[in-house]
Amino acid sequence: MTKDQMSPDRRSALRIAACCGVAATAGLLLTQGCAPARRAEPAVGPAGGPAGTAGVRGAAGPAASSGRVLGASGYRLQPMVAHPYPRRRALPPVRSRPFLRLPESSGRTMVLTFDDGPDPEYTPAVLRTLRRYGVRAMFFVCGEMVEAYPRLVREMADDGHVIGNHTWSHPLIPRLTPSGIRAELGRTSEVIEAVSGLPPLWYRAPFGAWNRHSFEIGAELGMEPLAWTVDTLDWMEPGTGTIVSRVLDGAGPGVVVLSHDAGGDRSQSVAALRYYLPRLLESGYHLSVPRR
């Protein structure tokens, strides 16, 4: 055997050492990539007890609900759709006056609005007429009426109508304190959302009596103020023919028509709608609702 040749025993020893090194390296990689991380200690609240569910979820990450605790690399790869960050709705600006016409009016587009409902006698008749002609409208509802007749509000929503806030009890807003205005509008927004599934984006002051506080509080609640262009004065029960004439004479691009489906005898309002609605459509008007 020459000097540069290795003995069989020495070659065998080197092979064994090399195999041990590969096995150790593989074991180390397996431990780092797959071994469960050390379980985090439960969060502690101010009183010394465990924190609430939200706190634990924030500490443990999305995998906490599945019972698995992931290492750092595994946690980063987990999808975040299970607990997305809440999306904040952009608030509208504080207005100094309400809209009187359709904000984005184009062509021969008009809006029909109905206040004070829902009412179990007159609102269903209004909804049937609108459904017959495939027309969407806006209903400015009172919270106490929504609470009493939620089924009608759900029917409005199912038909694609826009449901607006008309306060809880139809008060004269300038006579209320800011906290009173907030209670009237806020409570109504809550019940509308609870019943229809969507918060109202528009509100209307009873009697058209607005003030600075109502504009500020309405904007805080995410709502825009909408008044009207044509007042049918149907609450005075002037006669079906008079109501029809007021709507047809006042028709025009961007016009907002005010009528009522509650608050008194609204049989004239219902009869007038059946007459002027098809005539507006025949004249080429498109009855729609704001895009917002």
Side-chain angles (χ1 to χ4, degrees), residues 10 20-21 25-26 30 68 100 102 177 201 206 216 249-250 268:
R10 187 177 181 185
C20 290
T25 303
L30 184 62
R68 294 187 299 111
L100 301 178
L102 188 64
T177 62
L201 301 181
E216 293 172 350
D249 292 346
Q268 293 179 6

Side-chain angles (χ1 to χ4, degrees), residues 194-261:
V195 171
S196 71
L198 293 172
L201 301 181
W202 297 89
Y203 73 105
R204 175 175 285 170
F207 313 105
W210 316 78
N211 65 3
R212 178 176 58 85
H213 295 303
S214 68
F215 291 124
E216 293 172 350
I217 294 169
E220 290 174 9
L221 295 173
M223 300 184 294
E224 291 274 32
L226 182 66
W228 54 85
T229 316
V230 173
D231 190 350
T232 63
L233 297 175
D234 58 342
W235 59 273
M236 298 179 67
E237 302 177 30
T240 299
T242 299
I243 297 173
V244 170
S245 297
R246 287 170 178 165
V247 173
L248 297 181
D249 292 346
V255 162
V256 177
V257 178
L258 167 62
S259 298
H260 296 79
D261 63 325

Side-chain angles (χ1 to χ4, degrees), residues 32-123:
Q32 290 179 340
C34 301
R38 183 179 179 183
R39 185 177 299 274
E41 294 298 326
V44 178
T53 304
V56 173
R57 184 174 296 163
S65 59
S66 65
R68 294 187 299 111
V69 180
L70 300 174
S73 60
Y75 175 81
R76 284 197 297 271
L77 292 175
Q78 295 305 301
M80 298 301 294
V81 295
H83 306 291
Y85 292 106
R87 297 175 60 185
R88 295 180 62 85
R89 185 176 50 164
L91 298 180
V94 177
R95 306 289 180 181
S96 58
R97 59 179 60 88
F99 289 102
L100 301 178
R101 308 175 72 86
L102 188 64
E104 69 284 348
S105 60
S106 59
R108 295 168 69 83
T109 301
M110 293 175 55
V111 181
L112 301 181
T113 67
F114 300 88
D115 284 11
D116 297 354
D119 180 276
E121 182 173 358
Y122 304 109
T123 301

